[in-house]
Amino acid sequence: MRVSNYLLSTQKETPANAEIVSHQLMLRAGFIRRNASGLYSWLPSGLRVLRKVEAIVREEMNKAGAIEILMPLVQPADLWEETGRWDKFGPELLRFQDRHNRDFVLGPTHEEVITDLVRKEVSSYKQLPLTLYQVQTKFRDEVRPRFGVMRAREFLMKDAYSFHLTQESMDETYQAMHKAYSNILERMGLAYRPVIADTGSIGGSASHEFHVLANSGEDLIAYSTDSDYAANIEKAEAPMPSTTLAEPTQEMSLVDTPNAKTIAELVEQFDLEITKTVKTLIVKGATEEAPLVALMVRGDHELNELKADKHDLVAAPLEFATDEEIRQAVGAGPGSLGPVGLNMPIIIDNDVAVMSDFGAGANQDDKHYFGINWNRDVDMPQAMDIRNVVEGEPTPDGKGTYAMARGIEVGHIFQLGTNYSEAMGASVLDENGKSKVMLMGCYGVGVSRIVAAAIEQNHDDRGMMLPESLAPFTVGILPMNMHKSHRVKEKAEQLYQDLTDAGFEVLFDDRKERPGVMFNDMELVGLPHVVVIGDRNIDAGVFEYKNRRSGEKQEVAFDNIVEFLK
Ligand code: ATP
Ligand code: MG
Ligand code: MG
Ligand code: MG
């Protein structure tokens, strides 16, 4: 590609509204442009990387035996009514009507459509197992679109769905997909971890997420220092305190306390230091619309006072909730909390609760309760949904201790059981001619998110350093003063021809720009190999080569360049 024919669209300044490095670099290197909140256009360089991610995903899917199809982005509401998700899904689901006033959605995922398709196409166990996939645009009306394509509203996903007669077959495909996802991320040269994941509102028996490790990641992963055990902290297992788990006997509702404070306010008011050892409790069952994170704060508890104990855990003071609010929030389970002297959940920004020694509550749809009990003198209901993991604690498999890392969820695999097939009547006849509901699995990869995640892991202060498998071009040709020197022009043209013929993806900077500008652009876009040609080189018969990642420079004889780059 000649830059003069191309749309390079690089920019020097770091955009003010981009918080994380991948977002900044994707704007600066001319990868993406924002059209509206969570909506992006892909410019040529970005699209080349996106297509490379897509190609690797597609190859590994095909290798794992999945078959490609394409389903519509627009989906009829009736299918969503069949599974009950028309009512349950919440505001991430964008709904609209056509000219006949019929309801439709923009697909955030495709379980309904695929199950509808398969129930019509598949009728015998002989057609199973079957894994179908697509690479398709998804739309989710994210409450906080941010970080560019990392959390967009419209994004590209590879979603696969598998259908089975038996659990054995389901397990086999699940393992094959687990392997395919590992292959995908390894081919991209990304540091990643598969982690045990929460099955959330979709339910099902087994689930793993694939996280690209990065400090900007929105998820917290707990992993063992000495084994392969790793889990999303939402799901990590740890020894529970002395009290036993008991199921709450009634659903509890949470009140929005008028005295609610933000964490920032709490920290400031009480001069708190929230350290890594603060216990973070994440409540399973919190929905997308009302994610609820309980920050467990505990300590030498004194009324109306926040005080950190030696574990750096702090307690929220009584003044944040009234007795009535406490009563409402706690409900009246066995050994329920009395309203006196206890500090209760405070809803902060509608999605974070700070809690004291003990408490209980539920998120706003009133369905998912949680509770905690740290007071060993009081026999209280303790919600089953709470996981509590701290760095340095022993692990569930008995090997090593917990360590924490931040991750970007780039893939997610699920065993769905019969949740969808049952609701939609997707069954086959087995060997004995008996009708059996199919078991299902689903497997998603955030194709567009991977581009951003890869940049988070591969950059320096000069720009991107994407691995060769993902870089928009692999070789850059940088001629010095080509518009003045005929010899340089001729040699550069020849090199462009030779490298292109040899199958390299070459970006030939034939602009009338200063070498410094051209060099900066190549580093910003992150071309793995750059070859420089000037008059001096022609006299010496060597190209100047620079490796983007190592920074190493080397002279390479004209005749050896193709071999050298291979
Ligand atoms: P998240 O927890 O980040 O919201 P999710 O669990 O809702 O993701 P899934 O339903 O598991 O997402 O979808 C499969 C994959 O699609 C995710 O693992 C992620 O890589 C990608 N993805 C989900 N939401 C977005 C988004 N808003 N923008 C870009 N990619 C996304
Ligand atoms: Mg989500
Ligand atoms: Mg998730
Ligand atoms: Mg997920």
Side-chain angles (χ1 to χ4, degrees):
M1 181 65 66
R2 290 166 192 277
V3 176
S4 62
N5 277 347
Y6 192 61
L7 187 67
L8 197 57
S9 284
T10 53
Q11 61 197 48
K12 231 176 156 182
E13 278 72 39
T14 301
N17 51 359
E19 292 163 59
I20 62 170
V21 105
S22 58
H23 189 195
Q24 294 168 357
L25 288 176
M26 287 182 84
L27 292 168
R28 284 187 54 208
F31 271 38
I32 53 168
R33 289 292 179 258
R34 180 183 181 274
N35 299 101
S37 171
L39 304 178
Y40 289 86
S41 294
W42 289 78
L43 300 187
S45 301
L47 185 61
R48 290 177 75 96
V49 178
L50 185 71
R51 291 288 179 245
K52 286 189 179 185
V53 172
E54 199 180 325
I56 291 173
V57 170
R58 190 172 266 122
E59 276 173 35
E60 293 300 327
M61 279 300 110
N62 294 345
K63 228 200 274 174
I67 312 293
E68 187 166 6
I69 59 169
L70 187 59
M71 293 178 275
L73 169 63
V74 174
Q75 308 178 6
D78 338 358
L79 295 180
W80 288 73
E81 272 159 8
E82 280 190 58
T83 60
R85 288 211 290 186
W86 177 252
D87 294 321
K88 271 187 263 168
F89 209 91
E92 256 185 42
L93 186 65
L94 188 69
R95 303 152 201 256
F96 61 97
Q97 293 193 326
D98 69 3
R99 66 170 74 197
H100 308 294
N101 300 329
R102 284 187 290 243
D103 290 317
F104 288 86
V105 304
L106 276 189
T109 177
H110 278 71
E111 283 84 6
E112 279 81 359
V113 179
I114 192 87
T115 309
D116 178 48
L117 189 77
V118 168
R119 70 178 164 186
K120 291 170 181 156
E121 300 302 322
V122 173
S123 53
S124 160
Y125 75 98
K126 289 179 192 162
Q127 293 164 280
L128 301 182
L130 179 68
T131 306
L132 300 171
Y133 79 95
Q134 65 174 347
V135 180
Q136 165 66 297
T137 296
K138 296 283 185 275
F139 189 94
R140 296 182 183 181
D141 204 351
E142 296 276 352
V143 55
R144 267 181 234 106
R146 57 188 192 149
F147 304 154
V149 296
M150 190 81 88
R151 184 170 297 286
R153 294 198 293 170
E154 187 177 307
F155 59 97
L156 196 62
M157 197 202 285
K158 182 286 298 176
D159 46 327
Y161 306 86
S162 68
F163 296 84
H164 311 268
L165 186 68
T166 64
Q167 182 60 36
E168 259 180 344
S169 160
M170 171 74 254
D171 289 340
E172 217 170 278
T173 297
Y174 190 80
Q175 283 315 319
M177 286 295 148
H178 195 289
K179 180 82 183 91
Y181 277 39
S182 304
N183 291 348
I184 288 167
L185 296 167
E186 262 152 44
R187 283 179 62 179
M188 294 173 182
L190 299 176
Y192 73 96
R193 254 180 203 275
V195 307
I196 299 167
D198 197 350
T199 49
S201 55
I202 298 182
S205 44
S207 175
H208 285 84
E209 289 165 357
F210 286 74
H211 284 263
V212 164
L213 304 175
N215 286 336
S216 57
E218 290 183 277
D219 284 29
L220 200 56
I221 297 164
Y223 64 94
S224 162
T225 50
D226 292 326
S227 75
D228 283 344
Y229 181 89
N232 193 312
I233 189 155
E234 297 167 12
K235 189 68 182 179
E237 292 172 32
M240 291 300 284
S242 56
T243 46
T244 49
L245 279 179
E247 294 197 12
T249 52
Q250 72 169 71
E251 290 179 356
M252 295 171 275
S253 64
L254 202 58
V255 284
D256 223 327
T257 77
N259 294 328
K261 305 255 168 152
T262 65
I263 285 189
E265 284 171 328
L266 283 174
V267 167
E268 187 173 337
Q269 183 175 354
F270 294 95
D271 194 26
L272 291 176
E273 209 184 345
I274 295 187
T275 69
K276 269 192 180 169
T277 51
V278 164
K279 297 210 172 193
T280 304
L281 302 180
I282 306 220
V283 181
K284 182 181 153 197
T287 61
E288 296 272 337
E289 307 81 71
L292 187 62
V293 178
L295 178 71
M296 174 57 186
V297 286
R298 180 178 72 157
D300 283 334
H301 180 223
E302 286 175 30
L303 293 185
N304 297 316
E305 187 186 343
L306 273 173
K307 202 170 161 187
D309 71 2
K310 59 182 184 312
H311 304 298
D312 287 329
L313 303 172
V314 288
L318 193 61
E319 67 183 16
F320 293 154
T322 66
D323 286 358
E324 186 49 31
E325 285 165 347
I326 292 167
R327 210 193 312 274
Q328 281 187 41
V330 176
S336 76
L337 296 176
V340 185
L342 303 176
N343 302 324
M344 275 318 301
I346 306 163
I347 296 301
I348 290 170
D349 287 344
N350 272 341
D351 61 21
V352 178
V354 173
M355 310 180 80
S356 74
D357 279 26
F358 36 96
N363 67 10
Q364 276 140 333
D365 65 10
D366 271 3
K367 290 197 185 86
H368 303 287
Y369 39 66
F370 63 89
I372 53 172
N373 176 14
W374 289 94
N375 187 330
R376 288 166 200 104
D377 302 324
V378 184
D379 180 24
M380 280 192 8
Q382 195 172 43
M384 53 205 172
D385 284 339
I386 285 174
R387 295 295 178 271
N388 168 25
V389 168
V390 178
E391 243 169 354
E393 272 183 13
T395 63
D397 63 3
K399 293 178 202 146
T401 56
Y402 266 125
M404 302 286 180
R406 295 221 146 259
I408 300 166
E409 181 193 326
V410 295
H412 198 165
I413 61 178
F414 262 106
Q415 292 198 15
L416 297 170
T418 54
N419 287 351
Y420 293 88
S421 41
E422 183 102 53
M424 296 183 71
S427 48
V428 288
L429 296 180
D430 70 8
E431 303 99 318
N432 307 316
K434 261 191 160 167
S435 176
K436 266 192 135 176
V437 176
M438 287 181 269
L439 289 165
M440 282 176 67
C442 76
Y443 319 89
V445 168
V447 174
S448 46
R449 180 179 284 184
I450 282 182
V451 177
I455 294 165
E456 285 295 319
Q457 259 187 19
N458 294 281
H459 66 268
D460 63 11
D461 52 6
R462 298 192 305 276
M464 301 185 190
M465 296 197 300
L466 286 171
E468 259 175 74
S469 56
L470 297 182
F473 298 91
T474 50
V475 185
I477 298 176
L478 202 159
M480 318 240 285
N481 300 319
M482 176 173 107
H483 297 274
K484 286 188 194 132
S485 167
H486 184 68
R487 293 197 304 164
V488 169
K489 180 171 167 50
E490 205 174 9
K491 195 71 200 168
E493 289 284 356
Q494 185 61 49
L495 179 64
Y496 178 50
Q497 192 63 49
D498 292 348
L499 292 180
T500 306
D501 290 349
F504 291 99
E505 293 173 286
V506 187
L507 187 67
F508 176 20
D509 200 342
D510 59 348
R511 291 176 297 174
K512 247 188 194 161
E513 282 286 359
R514 281 181 293 117
V517 171
M518 288 155 54
F519 212 81
N520 286 347
D521 276 350
M522 292 217 177
E523 296 214 304
L524 175 60
V525 177
L527 273 52
H529 310 284
V530 174
V531 181
V532 181
I533 309 165
D535 271 310
R536 202 186 64 79
N537 300 107
I538 294 182
D539 295 337
V542 291
F543 293 114
E544 266 171 55
Y545 163 82
K546 186 169 180 193
N547 186 290
R548 173 68 179 90
R549 188 170 281 270
S550 68
E552 271 171 58
K553 285 183 188 164
Q554 206 172 322
E555 294 190 336
V556 182
F558 283 164
D559 289 347
N560 295 345
I561 191 73
V562 172
E563 266 316 299
F564 175 82
L565 289 170
K566 264 187 185 160

